[in-house]
Amino acid sequence: MTSHDALSHPPVHIVGQLVDARLSLLDRQVVDVDGRPVGVLDDLELTDVASPLEPGTPPPEVTSLVHGPIVLERIFGGRRPDAHLLRIGWDAVAKLGPAIELAAPASELPTSWVESWLRDRVIVRIPGGRHVPR
Amino acid sequence: MFLGDLVAAPVLQDGRRVGYVADVRLLVPPHTPGQRVGTPRVYGIVVCPRRTASFVGYERTGVREPRLLAAFFRWRARGSFLVLWPDLARVGENGVDLRLDARRWSADLDSRPQL
Amino acid sequence: MPVGRRWLLVAACLLLAGCGTAEDAAISTVQDARSAVVVAQQAVRLRLDTRATTPYTQVVLDDSLDAVGAAEQELRDSSEPDRARTARARVVLNDANTVLDELADAGADQMSKADLDRLTELVGRLDAALAELRR
Amino acid sequence: MKRLFAVALGVLTAIGGFLDIGDLVTNAVVGSRFGWSLAWVVVVGVVGICLFAQMAGRVAAVSGRATFELVRERMGPRLGLANLAASFLINLLTLTAEVGGIALALQLASSVHYLLWVPVAALAVWQVIWRVGFDVMENVTGLVGLLLVGFAVAFFLLGPDWTQLTDQLLQRAPHGESPATYWFYAVALFGAALTPYEVFFFSSGAVEEGWSSEDLAQSRLNVLVGFPLGGLLSLAIAGCAALTLMPLGVEVTTLSQVVLPVAEAGGRVLLIAIILGVVAATFGAALETTLSTGYTLAQFFGWSWGKFRAPAEAARFHITMIVCLLVGVAVLATGVDPVMVTEISVVFSAVALPLTYLPILIVANDPDYLGDQVNPRLLNIAGQVYFVLILVASVAAIPLMIVTGVGR
């Protein structure tokens, strides 16, 4: 077997469920209560911790989901322009799965200004813009 | 602090680089009133000796299919290990420092995550 | 594979592409023109048998005329050293151009048995030119 | 309407994937130069797309996640963005060619120059995307596209000489054709059969139609009816060209030459039916590729998408498609030959294919997404064999294209 199986599992009794962030959360779709896409999970915001860490410091907790037009920063590096970040508090999360389901409808969540600008300025002005294709 | 800063950050022990953060393992506790999913907290970090995009996940989950691809990805992420939060000395902008006596555990997610 | 050898491979590929077209320009342009004229001939034959619609036949005539025009252009652009071969090809291409031009202008609905014979005869001339160029 | 034509999505996806303007001409070119000696590539391609679409459709039905969401989720933003750039460019190239294809087909029916038809075609494609329901769109385009069965009719009317065709099947590159050209067209046919936009469209279509794990049988049916039909018709097109154009020594370069054997075999009625079928097929392909530009971007960036929503509910999704159609019309206005555009796009889709195939093959084995519907062992073996084939085709595509000067 590969070497890392020589290591054993930590003898810690886990109350809850272990989840690898990059594997099972990051880059997954975030959808609202009706299943409508709100964005892709670009990052998770954590509580800050001192540096260096004194022994016994409690681990940071996830405070909010972060999504927005920052995927390019993640790829090409560089700071995130804070203004563009859309944050959704963790308490809005309803279920973790193939997509991250939220408990609130999209209308109550921070949405991208591009989407609303294009909708109001362009789409609604074209005849049939509000008509659901039959 | 953003979790994205930790991902793929170099991991140092005693000044020597031992690998990169392949993933950040979170513990999702039972939810408290007023929320449906418990607030996750950092349980530990998965360290991989190479800077591979190893999140394809084969090296940590029970999935072994399709056979050859799974073997390839497991081989590529060989030597990965888990370090629990208490064993971390510093989490900063340019990387993570492990305590000198940091224990290395198996990176496998032994129980299937009930996602 | 050391980087040096990799670049060598890419360069080889590009070099090969230069002489990718085995035949010379004279033969390939006359061949393209022959294909176009043969298709025009078939379309006119089917039109006379009322087995092809008029708009379709018209499009085939126009496409064939364009193809011959493109072949002439390709011949002019080619760096063909042998003057006699280029001249031989240019004559037959020009011939094809005039015939197709007349038929396309006349219109698919005016096609007659005589027009079909002109096309068949033109195909023969193109075949003769090809045979000569290949010798 | 939905149950009327339960396999409409599979048929439309296959028609758009196998019988679009590029495939019509490529199959005729291959038939007129190689006869059926490349038929085995079409069969390998059909099995490949059945495998690929079946996995993507199952993942979409059970987990509700369309293909490009998985590409980013499994490959991460960096590789995901590289795939997005490649796939989006190929979709745009193919979309441009398909709108040109519609215009070329309408020109065959009317002899009005195709450039005049281009804006009309683009407007019609947009209107169908903007107003017409997904079910109605796939049923109508799929049904009318079935007129292309006329190629099979023409093939049998031409009285094929089966011994000669089987000889071609067994013989490698016929005389006078360089092996490089033979293998270039092998890769082109393989790429044409396994174009990524087919899978983007099929998996997103599964979400549009609201498939769930109860619809897995229907998904399998769609795949096993649609794509083999598409493969058979492309063999019929090659067969017609082999029987009619090959003896005449004609090298196919235009759509009008592709349909000549049909007039030869079945006269005016069959010719008109085929032209109508070609209009529907290229229209279906245009819808498929236009929607794919919207699907890929929306699913990568997490925008709201889908024809089951009003355009106002998916503004960026619709704006993307409108802009792409306008770009397509602008490119066509420069007089570029739509057929050449598809030949290039088919080769590039062969190059980009592994980046889309790998995540699907991985996720189709992930219980988080599929529970107990993960791939059976046999499917995984075939899946890995095809991954190797796809990698080889992807590496060989560009050098072959250079060496043969796009198949001269």
Side-chain angles (χ1 to χ4, degrees), chain A residues 19-20 22 43 46 48 53, chain B residues 1 4 23 25-26 60 89:
Chain A
V19 167
D20 280 5
R22 194 174 170 190
D43 212 336
L46 306 173
D48 284 324
L53 295 161
Chain B
M1 185 171 84
D23 213 325
R25 185 154 298 173
L26 304 172
R60 279 165 277 143

Side-chain angles (χ1 to χ4, degrees), chain D residues 203-281:
Chain D
S203 62
S204 305
V207 174
E208 295 258 18
E209 287 200 3
W211 285 1
S212 66
S213 26
E214 284 90 39
D215 301 303
L216 285 184
Q218 186 189 348
S219 162
R220 220 166 284 121
L221 189 65
N222 265 280
V223 165
L224 294 179
V225 168
F227 297 110
L229 173 68
L232 282 175
L233 290 183
S234 33
L235 285 181
I237 294 166
C240 288
L243 294 173
T244 315
L245 302 175
M246 195 173 195
L248 297 170
V250 167
E251 280 186 22
V252 174
T253 51
T254 66
L255 184 59
S256 55
Q257 291 162 342
V258 174
V259 293
L260 185 72
V262 170
E264 180 75 62
R268 295 164 61 94
V269 172
L270 194 59
L271 178 62
I272 291 168
I274 282 292
I275 291 175
L276 199 55
V278 169
V279 171

